[in-house]
Amino acid sequence: MPATVQEELSTEDRFLQAFEGLSDEAKNGTVEAVQGRRRRAIEQFEALGFPTNQLEAYKYTNVAKALRHEYRIAPAEAAPQASTEEVEALLLPDLDAHVVVTVGGRYSEERSDVGALPNGAFVGSFAEGANAHPDVFDAHYGQYADFESEAGDPEQSAMTALNAAFAQDGLFLYVPEDVALDKPVYALHLPSAGDEPLFAQPRHLFVIEENAEARLIEMRRAPEQREHAPGSFTNAVREAYVGAHGHFDHYIVQDEGAGASQHTTFDAYHETESVFDTLTVTLSGDLVRNNLTITPAGEFCESHLNGLYLGSGEMHVDNRTIVEHAAPDCVSNQLYKGILEDDATGVFNGRVHVHRGSQRINAYQSNKNIVLERSAQIYSKPELEIYADDVECSHGSTTGELDEDAIFYLRSRGIPAERARAMLLGAFARDVVESVRSEPLAAWLTDEVGARYGAGQALGVGS
Amino acid sequence: MPLLEIEDLHIGIEDTEILRGVDLNADGGEVHAIMGPNGSGKSTLAKVLAGREEYEVTQGSVHYDGEDLLEMEAEERAQEGVFMAFQYPVELPGVSQQNFLKESVNAVREAQGKEELGAADFIKMVREKSDLVDLDEALTKRSVNEGFSGGEKKRNEIFHLAMLEPRLAILDETDSGLDIDALRIVADGVNQLRDSDRAFVIITHYQRLLNYIEPDYVHAMVDGQIAKTGDKSLAVELEERGYEWLSGDGVAESKASEGNASENGAATEPEEAAVA
Amino acid sequence: MSTAETEYLQAKADQEYEHGWTTDIESDTVEPGLDEETVRLISAKKDEPEWLLEWRLKAYRYFDRLTDERDFYPDWAHLDYDEPDFQNMSYYSAPKEKAQYDSMDEVPQELLDTFERLGIPLEEQKALTGVAVDAVMDSVSVATTFQEKLEEAGVLFMSFGEAVQEHPDLVRENMGSVVPYTDNLYAALNSAVFSDGSFVYVPEGVTCPMELSTYFRINEQGTGQFERTLIVAEEGSYVSYMEGCTAPMRKENQLHAAVVEIIAEEDAEVKYSTIQNWYPGNPETGEGGVFNLVTKRGICKGDRAKISWTQLETGSAVTQKYPSVILKGDDSVGEFYSVAFTKGHQQADTGTKMTHIGENTKSTIISKGISAGVAENSYRGLVKINEGAENARNFSQCDSLLIGEECGAHTFPYIEVGNPSAKVEHEATTSKVGEDQMFYCHQRGLGEEEALKLIVNGFCKEILAELPMEFAVEAKELLAIELEGSVG
């Protein structure tokens, strides 16, 4: 063995070292709820390390293996900038919204255009929000994406703990009791430019109080002039709280291009008779792993979680969803659809967990995949874990190629084969696209899917 | 030259010969009915004409308007005016009828050198043509065939026929599974679409459809061949006597008299068969 | 759930295990403990050839290495039990008088009575016609019926021990070829210490003239049962094989760790049915009961081969098994039909693995789980379509029925698709017995118990229909007994 003077640091060790090297400001410059957890969080991460596919929850996705680079770990002192033109080019046409922008995981005051908000509401930076609403942070931060009590699944907490150790900035959305946001919030997440791969750890908190309402559209985009340094990795954590009778409508589009990877954790908790909807659309990226956990904690909640993943190239996309039915009389519905081509890999692992005593749960889970090429792979693992007898729960999973009979039917009506395939792929994605309640987003998504498979705009939603 | 010219057509699938030399000519304005028992090859003929690829043509030819039809892709055939109403129309979840038909009609029109249909004209056409087969207009707005009843699917096929205005329309057992009212509606639709330029090839198991659509020619298909061709009276005869008497090179009379009732359940008495 | 249903469940939970008695027969039981000497002792008692002893020792050494590792115990299943103490059980127990009987006349009356009491008479004149039985008590085969008649057809059906002596080449060539001893902890343990089991060989082109059946009975206290079954079906042959199991009530847990291997050559078909009714433990305390941790796997080696697993699992404190099929030959078929009924403190984590390798391979999985009391019932299954498995098809359906508020029913399918021409469909539902169904039955004059029995029977119908006729009746009765006390 060649003698090496210095022992090479493991990836984990680099993070531990980076943590110790954090400035006082970075460690302690925020509210107690955030800074008070850092030490315990890094210890938790040290104990667990990055998830490998030895863990059941990461059986098909080896996060540790994807981390091959030397990252810039320490949080940037100030937000890197993006130009007004860049941001404007990435707004959704016809969407009138409160616009917030993050660059490299930091909130960009200059590029955000929040505008007037209803009384008491806050839309803006996580760092600033913490100082403005310490009581809200005390009550909610770290309560849902809680690395210390991921009781059901400690395997999942390493990435959450790592984020909690480093969390500096991101978005904070606060809608107080009885307030409805008049416009949706549009959040644009841009990568930071540069040659060195960045390991960003944005942290977002969304609090929709009792009888309040909000819609949030998040898009991670990487415009051409702002490509990631190859290997960039984002470890994002989101938490959402929806109070009784509240309604939170959430969308996230992941399209940061090849060369970038991300691990996202989203824990949502909602109270009696509230509605929580979320849609995850993954269009590009190297490795994308989404951990989504929803806990309808009060009676008569409604949760909808949908997903659409279009894999191409070497993309690896893994959606893990958990619905914790901790209260009776709730409805949850999930529909995840994937189209995989080239060497792409798609993973769906959904779990519906009905707790003891949570009677009269109606839970439905569906995963459908189309594989276009031999080199593409699908792993589907829908799970039901049920401890109450008066329930209606079901799941389904299908994987196959496009239906040859359907293609023939279209061709025999004069539609060329290529076009027939495109139409059928668009049709496959259609019910997920139709679940979008924001028209500008639905239109944008329809165009994206159409353009991807060469179907143009003819697949118009609802026409 | 007839519009459709089938000569000595032999078709096989995986070493089994299904069609064993079919000859048939059909011209504009004519309605041809092809009747035959299950497994006689009549639906195979329809599928081959429409362009299904799993069948192998081992011998013979098919010309359409003078062109080699068998050389054409399925969509090319449709664009050139060949239409097939499917026996089992496919459900296309998520594909709206409107978009589907807009694509389809314009693909056909483009190939025929016609102008693309504008939105208003298209909507007008949908309304007119759906009336023709009494198709609930709501169905023209849903996904293609998804959740349609059996009768609605068949009517939808005739609606597509009306929309695409083909020169050769092949109806593959369009009558199967229809109750008498639905049958009448489908037949009315077809009758209204008859004109001097359009040929119909109607494949059916039963004579009852032909009570409503009067054919010019009736072909009896048995064992992959057209065993007999006649006028509409042949259909009645086939219904009464079955097909046994036609099999085995026309010496079937003796066979039929051995007491084989007709395959499709018509209570043909041996005596009757013998008399005929 | 209505009060009547709850009460009824209580009554059901109170119901006693029917086969809980013991047989008073002298046994030759080796001292508890496991080391190389134990393995040598078992091999010597069975007068085995050197190659088999070597194989056992290799398996033992592998097992030993495994148990040295930290966290060696496989705990990924949805099961909660204390792992067995491998040093505190006996690995060999046989009725003392003689390990092998040359004819039925030599079998002691107590043994014959034991099996007769279980409803399995071993004297051929009393036996079910059309079914040949191999009866295994504790670790040893005590009798095999109808051997002569089978021999006429060329079918070999005998205890594993006999096969080792009489057909060593067949055994040596095939054993461990489907389930290698390195497969898992219990496969390794079984390979080291297996004491007996059944062997079936069906020659080319032969349709086995009767159903083959093995009955397993654990009698002795503190023993584990480790039998192996090996079925070889040559080209174009057919055999239907069936196993049944019972055990006395014991306060401590008994370990049953079997290995079953099936080899189906071109155009061969093997149908393997199981009615598993080991002692489930005390329904109230959960004390005692059999740990049924079994490895079952078949390979469709040749084109158009077919292997079909059908199981009715009603017994055992803990059941963990995944009867699997490797679909290697083109156009080969794998099937898995299962009813798993857990009540009291029973736990089951069962399902199948279908590995598609050949082209046009097809698999069907129908699983019905019924859970009552404080039981836990999980379906876990893998459908894997390898890259070369062109046009592979799988359909899986897993339905769970919950009876009572304290049980659990879970579904964990794993679907891995590496070929786009494959079509894989999985569906699962979990629900309770529908109130509208119950009401409908009531309206037609049926009481709570009768209605439930009817509905559950209907729920399981398509599985029971897969059992050989001779056992379908038994299975139905067993299910009825499991389900309620008074209605017959």
Side-chain angles (χ1 to χ4, degrees):
Chain A
M1 196 197 272
T4 42
V5 183
Q6 205 183 336
E7 189 78 16
E8 263 209 31
L9 280 178
S10 75
T11 312
E12 277 88 354
D13 286 343
R14 284 198 217 114
F15 280 84
L16 299 177
Q17 208 176 55
F19 180 79
E20 297 307 334
L22 285 178
S23 69
D24 265 7
E25 168 64 19
K27 261 185 183 162
N28 302 318
T30 181
V31 293
E32 178 58 25
V34 179
Q35 69 192 37
R37 283 179 164 85
R38 292 194 199 282
R39 175 59 61 185
R40 297 200 304 281
I42 198 72
E43 282 167 6
Q44 170 96 330
F45 171 74
E46 187 178 4
L48 292 168
F50 282 106
T52 71
N53 50 13
Q54 295 297 302
L55 301 173
E56 183 68 17
Y58 286 86
K59 189 175 162 72
Y60 300 111
T61 299
N62 196 332
V63 175
K65 218 175 135 193
L67 298 165
R68 286 175 300 238
H69 302 270
E70 288 214 21
Y71 298 101
R72 186 153 53 87
I73 299 167
E77 292 307 319
Q81 278 316 309
S83 71
T84 319
E85 293 74 29
E86 270 180 78
V87 171
E88 277 174 1
L90 294 171
L91 295 178
L92 284 182
D94 305 322
L95 183 73
D96 181 18
H98 306 286
V99 176
V100 286
V101 177
T102 71
V103 183
R106 305 295 301 238
Y107 185 76
S108 168
E109 190 69 49
E110 290 82 357
R111 294 298 158 254
S112 299
D113 179 13
V114 175
L117 286 166
N119 217 1
F122 183 100
V123 175
S125 129
F126 175 92
E128 200 186 304
N131 294 322
H133 293 278
D135 49 330
V136 177
F137 270 66
D138 266 348
H140 298 290
Y141 176 83
Q143 300 298 314
Y144 317 116
D146 179 3
F147 62 87
E148 287 171 294
S149 77
E150 295 255 2
D153 210 344
E155 291 183 350
Q156 290 212 23
S157 66
M159 300 303 281
T160 312
L162 184 62
N163 179 287
F166 286 88
Q168 297 293 329
D169 205 356
L171 295 180
F172 176 53
L173 170 64
Y174 173 61
V175 188
E177 212 173 308
D178 297 323
V179 171
L181 287 190
D182 53 340
K183 295 191 286 191
V185 175
Y186 178 77
L188 181 62
H189 302 293
L190 297 173
S192 97
D195 301 331
E196 207 185 349
L198 175 71
F199 192 99
Q201 303 209 63
R203 180 82 184 205
H204 313 292
L205 179 63
F206 315 127
V207 176
I208 316 298
E209 287 188 342
E210 199 172 319
N211 207 27
E213 251 178 67
R215 170 175 295 161
L216 170 63
I217 298 168
E218 296 190 73
M219 292 187 108
R220 291 189 64 82
R221 305 284 301 280
E224 267 171 47
Q225 68 273 29
R226 185 177 284 277
E227 273 176 9
H228 287 272
S232 290
F233 198 104
T234 302
N235 174 34
V237 174
R238 293 175 170 75
E239 290 180 281
Y241 169 84
V242 187
H245 309 285
H247 186 175
F248 186 35
D249 192 18
H250 174 264
Y251 304 89
I252 181 156
V253 175
Q254 302 172 318
D255 187 15
E256 26 179 22
S261 294
Q262 55 178 313
H263 184 291
T264 77
T265 305
F266 187 6
D267 286 78
Y269 182 96
H270 59 127
E271 304 269 20
T272 307
E273 291 182 41
S274 62
V275 179
F276 174 70
D277 295 338
T278 183
L279 168 68
T280 308
V281 177
T282 310
L283 300 174
S284 62
D286 274 3
L287 178 142
V288 180
R289 162 72 181 224
N290 299 311
N291 286 354
L292 171 64
T293 306
I294 299 177
T295 307
E299 296 170 7
F300 302 102
C301 283
E302 224 183 278
S303 327
H304 300 275
L305 45 159
N306 295 332
L308 179 68
Y309 42 99
L310 309 180
S312 59
E314 307 255 308
M315 185 171 161
H316 179 110
V317 52
D318 180 349
N319 278 294
R320 163 128 169 126
T321 69
I322 301 177
V323 181
E324 295 284 353
H325 275 293
D329 296 296
C330 294
V331 173
S332 71
N333 202 331
Q334 55 181 313
L335 175 63
Y336 274 74
K337 285 189 156 186
I339 301 173
L340 282 297
E341 59 188 324
D342 302 334
D343 294 317
T345 302
V347 183
F348 172 76
N349 179 195
R351 176 191 290 172
V352 172
H353 180 188
V354 177
H355 296 220
R356 188 137 285 152
S358 295
Q359 297 290 17
R360 297 170 301 280
I361 294 298
N362 204 323
Y364 181 69
Q365 185 189 45
S366 173
N367 175 228
K368 294 183 175 174
N369 299 292
I370 288 185
V371 194
L372 295 177
E373 267 149 312
R374 179 184 284 265
S375 45
Q377 307 264 341
I378 283 287
Y379 301 95
S380 177
K381 201 166 158 262
E383 302 174 26
L384 299 174
E385 197 174 340
I386 293 166
Y387 297 91
D389 65 331
D390 191 359
V391 298
E392 288 282 344
C393 299
S394 65
H395 69 208
S397 166
T398 59
T399 298
E401 56 189 348
L402 274 178
D403 181 0
E404 283 301 323
D405 287 339
I407 292 173
F408 181 75
Y409 188 83
L410 289 162
R411 289 175 64 198
S412 76
R413 295 291 185 262
I415 297 167
E418 275 307 300
R419 181 93 185 120
R421 281 196 187 90
M423 283 181 81
L424 290 172
L425 289 172
F428 174 76
R430 188 167 163 176
D431 45 2
V432 175
V433 175
E434 279 183 345
S435 74
V436 174
R437 292 186 186 150
S438 156
E439 273 181 37
L441 178 61
W444 181 84
L445 209 48
T446 304
D447 289 350
E448 281 294 308
V449 176
R452 169 82 64 119
Y453 301 109
Q457 297 193 0
L459 305 173
V461 170
S463 62
Chain B
M1 183 183 16
L3 181 65
L4 175 70
E5 192 173 16
I6 303 175
E7 272 183 300
D8 191 29
L9 187 64
H10 290 250
I11 298 289
I13 185 166
E14 286 177 5
D15 306 330
T16 313
E17 195 166 43
I18 302 173
L19 295 189
R20 303 189 301 159
V22 170
D23 293 279
L24 187 110
N25 288 346
D27 223 333
E30 297 173 358
V31 174
H32 293 254
I34 299 179
M35 296 182 71
N38 283 332
S40 59
K42 57 190 193 304
S43 275
T44 300
L45 178 62
K47 285 175 188 152
V48 168
L49 293 179
R52 283 228 67 135
E53 280 150 10
E54 62 263 39
Y55 299 95
E56 198 194 341
V57 178
T58 51
Q59 199 177 315
S61 65
V62 180
H63 286 89
Y64 168 77
D65 202 14
E67 303 278 328
D68 184 349
L69 186 73
L70 301 175
E71 281 297 299
M72 295 158 77
E73 297 288 331
E75 57 266 39
E76 252 182 290
R77 301 182 195 200
Q79 289 162 8
E80 294 301 321
V82 178
F83 177 91
M84 179 165 89
F86 285 62
Q87 183 179 1
Y88 304 108
V90 180
E91 296 195 8
L92 302 174
V95 178
S96 86
Q97 283 251 65
Q98 296 267 355
N99 288 328
F100 167 74
L101 281 172
K102 218 178 281 172
E103 291 261 337
S104 177
V105 167
N106 283 327
V108 171
R109 291 179 71 93
E110 193 190 327
Q112 295 174 357
K114 293 180 195 160
E115 253 179 59
E116 197 171 291
L117 213 53
D121 289 336
F122 177 77
I123 290 166
K124 191 166 154 244
M125 187 173 180
V126 165
R127 193 161 298 145
E128 271 173 33
K129 305 294 187 183
S130 57
D131 280 350
L132 201 71
V133 282
D134 202 18
L135 192 74
D136 185 350
E137 216 183 310
L139 294 183
T140 67
K141 301 203 167 100
R142 297 230 311 251
S143 290
V144 180
N145 292 323
E146 194 189 25
F148 287 23
S149 72
E152 284 167 346
K153 279 182 185 165
K154 295 298 175 74
R155 264 187 274 166
N156 200 38
E157 292 295 286
I158 306 302
F159 165 56
H160 287 181
L161 195 168
M163 290 292 293
L164 294 179
E165 301 176 329
R167 292 177 66 195
L168 171 64
I170 304 155
L171 274 56
D172 187 8
E173 306 218 17
T174 299
D175 53 332
S176 69
L178 292 186
D179 63 31
I180 200 71
D181 292 333
L183 188 73
R184 196 176 291 136
I185 293 165
V186 165
D188 283 352
V190 170
N191 286 330
Q192 288 184 63
L193 293 165
R194 284 176 79 156
D195 72 35
S196 58
D197 291 331
R198 182 170 295 147
F200 279 89
V201 174
I202 296 174
I203 286 161
T204 179
H205 202 98
Y206 303 108
Q207 177 254 341
R208 61 172 193 160
L209 176 66
L210 307 178
N211 291 336
Y212 300 95
I213 305 173
E214 195 168 304
D216 301 300
Y217 301 94
V218 174
H219 310 277
M221 190 170 242
V222 181
D223 296 338
Q225 285 176 322
I226 289 179
K228 194 170 171 66
T229 295
D231 60 13
K232 61 177 178 174
S233 65
L234 177 61
V236 179
E237 192 177 355
L238 289 171
E239 187 85 355
E240 281 172 3
R241 299 180 57 190
Y243 296 90
E244 276 296 318
W245 62 286
L246 289 169
S247 62
D249 301 323
V251 290
E253 266 94 342
S254 57
K255 265 195 198 166
S257 64
E258 280 163 18
N260 262 327
S262 117
E263 275 181 32
N264 40 11
T268 313
E269 292 300 317
E271 295 82 359
E272 282 177 54
V275 171
Chain C
M1 169 140 299
S2 70
T3 325
E5 275 175 78
T6 315
E7 280 170 6
Y8 157 72
L9 278 168
Q10 194 55 48
K12 187 157 64 71
D14 291 344
Q15 191 200 321
E16 277 187 37
Y17 180 66
E18 201 192 7
H19 302 294
W21 41 271
T22 58
T23 305
D24 190 14
I25 193 161
E26 251 194 294
S27 300
D28 176 11
T29 304
V30 302
E31 287 297 304
L34 178 59
D35 55 21
E36 282 203 18
E37 274 318 298
T38 322
V39 176
R40 287 178 195 279
L41 182 70
I42 293 168
S43 188
K45 274 187 183 293
K46 304 193 67 70
D47 198 18
E48 284 175 353
E50 189 59 28
W51 64 264
L52 188 49
L53 174 63
E54 282 307 312
W55 194 77
R56 285 178 181 273
L57 287 170
K58 270 194 250 170
Y60 170 74
R61 284 168 200 145
Y62 181 77
F63 175 81
D64 195 42
R65 253 203 335 272
L66 270 186
T67 51
D68 275 349
E69 285 172 23
R70 202 166 61 101
D71 301 329
F72 73 94
Y73 199 78
D75 57 0
W76 40 265
H78 195 94
L79 299 167
D80 182 15
Y81 63 95
D82 294 333
E83 58 184 71
D85 179 353
F86 295 109
Q87 291 305 330
N88 197 25
M89 71 177 88
S90 166
Y91 288 88
Y92 186 80
S93 175
K96 199 164 197 173
E97 291 186 17
K98 198 173 177 205
Q100 298 274 327
Y101 306 98
D102 292 329
S103 80
M104 204 59 73
D105 304 335
E106 292 181 23
V107 180
Q109 196 55 43
E110 291 96 323
L111 268 178
L112 293 179
D113 290 349
T114 300
F115 282 93
E116 189 146 356
R117 200 168 158 191
L118 290 168
I120 311 144
L122 297 179
E123 291 120 302
E124 291 187 3
Q125 61 273 24
K126 289 191 198 168
L128 271 171
T129 47
V131 183
V133 178
D134 183 24
V136 178
M137 176 93 144
D138 290 335
S139 300
V140 166
S141 169
V142 293
T144 310
T145 62
F146 293 110
Q147 258 178 326
E148 279 171 33
K149 190 175 172 192
L150 289 167
E151 264 168 40
E152 277 170 37
V155 175
L156 305 177
F157 179 40
M158 60 190 70
S159 74
F160 206 91
E162 268 178 85
V164 168
Q165 303 299 336
E166 290 175 27
H167 305 281
D169 292 348
L170 275 179
V171 174
R172 192 175 182 176
E173 188 190 329
N174 293 299
M175 92 181 273
S177 71
V178 190
V179 181
Y181 61 77
T182 50
D183 194 76
N184 64 71
L185 182 74
Y186 282 103
L189 179 62
N190 175 289
S191 301
V193 303
F194 75 92
S195 34
D196 212 338
S198 296
F199 173 78
V200 176
Y201 177 82
V202 193
E204 192 175 328
V206 170
T207 295
C208 183
M210 56 209 309
E211 299 282 341
L212 304 185
S213 165
T214 301
Y215 259 85
F216 296 101
R217 172 79 179 166
I218 300 182
N219 193 56
E220 199 58 30
Q221 193 160 355
T223 58
Q225 173 137 341
F226 306 95
E227 83 279 355
R228 286 187 84 88
T229 301
L230 174 60
I231 300 176
V232 180
E234 295 284 7
E235 211 175 305
S237 66
Y238 170 84
V239 62
S240 169
Y241 179 93
M242 149 95 206
E243 60 173 354
C245 342
T246 59
M249 288 197 265
R250 299 283 189 197
K251 275 217 159 83
E252 84 279 16
N253 297 109
Q254 286 170 297
L255 175 62
H256 173 248
V259 169
V260 177
E261 297 178 279
I262 300 177
I263 296 155
E265 299 287 352
E266 199 172 296
D267 291 307
E269 180 176 349
V270 178
K271 191 173 165 66
Y272 193 106
S273 313
T274 302
I275 295 185
Q276 185 266 108
N277 189 23
W278 298 118
Y279 176 54
N282 183 309
E284 271 151 37
T285 62
E287 198 176 40
V290 171
F291 289 168
N292 184 38
L293 312 169
V294 171
T295 309
K296 290 178 165 176
R297 189 177 305 145
I299 181 165
C300 287
K301 241 181 174 172
D303 295 350
R304 297 171 302 279
K306 179 178 175 183
I307 293 176
S308 179
W309 299 98
T310 305
Q311 59 176 27
L312 173 60
E313 302 282 323
T314 61
S316 297
V318 172
T319 295
Q320 186 178 10
K321 59 178 225 180
Y322 314 97
S324 306
V325 184
I326 299 167
L327 296 151
K328 187 159 173 271
D330 292 347
D331 298 289
S332 59
V333 176
E335 294 175 339
F336 175 75
Y337 302 101
S338 168
V339 172
F341 188 133
T342 51
K343 62 179 185 179
H345 287 262
Q346 282 178 279
Q347 304 175 57
D349 191 299
T350 184
T352 183
K353 287 190 269 184
M354 294 289 177
T355 308
H356 293 252
I357 299 169
E359 294 183 7
N360 303 314
T361 45
K362 205 178 142 195
S363 63
T364 305
I365 299 169
I366 314 275
S367 165
K368 308 277 179 179
I370 304 159
S371 198
V374 292
E376 294 286 337
N377 197 327
S378 305
Y379 165 82
R380 187 182 305 276
L382 167 70
V383 174
K384 186 177 172 68
I385 311 288
N386 281 20
E387 197 182 329
E390 215 60 46
N391 290 315
R393 294 283 176 270
N394 162 267
F395 176 74
S396 308
Q397 190 183 333
C398 306
D399 297 321
S400 302
L401 204 57
L402 290 144
I403 305 176
E405 293 171 11
E406 287 173 82
C407 52
H410 322 299
T411 317
F412 305 108
Y414 297 64
I415 299 155
E416 307 184 3
V417 182
N419 184 307
S421 65
K423 200 168 171 189
V424 180
E425 290 176 71
H426 168 94
E427 288 171 14
T429 62
T430 304
S431 57
K432 71 165 184 172
V433 174
E435 266 162 29
D436 45 350
Q437 292 174 316
M438 289 297 280
F439 180 74
Y440 186 87
C441 292
H442 293 335
Q443 209 285 320
R444 295 294 184 267
L446 296 171
E448 205 80 33
E449 295 184 5
E450 291 157 300
L452 194 56
K453 187 188 147 198
L454 266 181
I455 291 164
V456 170
N457 247 310
F459 179 72
C460 302
K461 196 173 170 184
E462 54 188 314
I463 306 300
L464 300 181
E466 291 295 328
L467 287 169
M469 203 177 58
E470 288 83 353
F471 300 96
V473 179
E474 183 186 337
K476 246 184 210 167
E477 276 169 11
L478 179 61
L479 202 57
I481 292 166
E482 285 294 313
L483 208 56
E484 33 81 15
S486 53
V487 185

